Amino acid sequence: MTPSGAAAPSDGHPPSVPVSVTEIRRRPGSRMPVERTLVARGLGLTDVVVPDGSEIAFAGELESIHEGVVLTGSAEVPWAGECRRCLKELHGTSAIEIREVYETKPTEGETWPLDHDTVDLGPLLHDIALLALPLAPLCTDDCLGPAPDAFPAVVAVDPVAVEEPAGEPAKDPRWAALDDLDL
Ligand SMILES: [Zn+2]
């Protein structure tokens, strides 16, 4: 077992969060509760980050199926950023639902690997955390910025807000944000 809180390897891969599923693999249909945390390191988008050292907490269960296991539950992702209009510092926690399959023969981009009766929640929680981050947080829904009359000037310093009004919402902004990362 890797001790929790182990430092992330320097190559940028998320730390391992291994869970042994030997017990439930003996009988398809059996389940086990799972609670694990991933300690964040260098996780974030341009304007919003998961602060280094904070914990992404997963709670849910694993269920054994014939070719693997199904993980269901939810993760809580702490984040920090700035209001996109008034630049006030913001902190919050986003919850995200998870339902993912781990298989002995995983399908690239669809399911996760199950090796030696062990699943690794680290890479999953890492990716999920990015999806859970708010793209353009506001301190309040109707924040007008520090000086409402000067609002256009405030928008100009924020790349996310600048891109929004131009039309072409073709791409899911969550995935567009991921494109900017070197994963
Ligand atoms: Zn604000």
Side-chain angles (χ1 to χ4, degrees):
M1 293 288 273
T2 306
S4 67
S10 57
D11 60 6
H13 287 294
S16 242
V17 181
V19 180
S20 168
V21 295
T22 306
E23 282 301 316
I24 60 170
R25 285 279 282 156
R26 292 189 183 133
R27 214 156 38 90
S30 51
R31 299 158 184 253
M32 61 183 270
V34 178
E35 287 190 21
R36 290 290 191 284
T37 57
L38 173 69
V39 178
R41 289 272 181 275
L43 233 174
L45 305 174
T46 313
D47 298 320
V48 184
V49 302
V50 183
D52 278 354
S54 62
E55 293 186 341
I56 296 156
F58 172 82
E61 67 172 17
L62 278 160
E63 177 180 0
S64 180
I65 57 175
H66 279 284
E67 281 78 34
V69 294
V70 181
L71 179 78
T72 52
S74 63
E76 301 215 328
V77 182
W79 56 264
E82 287 176 342
C83 172
R84 66 171 170 171
R85 290 181 187 158
C86 72
L87 305 184
K88 180 174 148 187
E89 259 187 50
L90 298 178
H91 299 270
T93 302
S94 294
I96 187 164
E97 295 297 312
I98 294 173
R99 181 183 166 80
E100 298 287 339
V101 176
Y102 286 78
E103 295 182 300
T104 49
K105 292 175 186 163
T107 305
E108 175 84 37
E110 288 181 29
T111 60
W112 302 80
L114 167 61
D115 290 321
H116 299 94
D117 276 355
T118 300
V119 299
D120 185 357
L121 304 195
L124 168 66
L125 292 178
H126 179 275
D127 288 4
I128 286 284
L130 293 175
L131 292 178
L133 293 176
L135 284 178
L138 289 173
C139 60
T140 58
D141 283 343
D142 55 358
C143 174
L144 294 178
D149 291 343
F151 184 51
V154 174
V155 169
V157 303
D158 180 44
V160 174
V162 170
E163 285 164 18
E164 272 174 3
E168 287 206 2
K171 206 169 180 184
D172 183 329
R174 297 185 304 171
W175 295 111
L178 286 179
D179 286 344
D180 292 332
L181 296 170
D182 191 13
L183 288 177

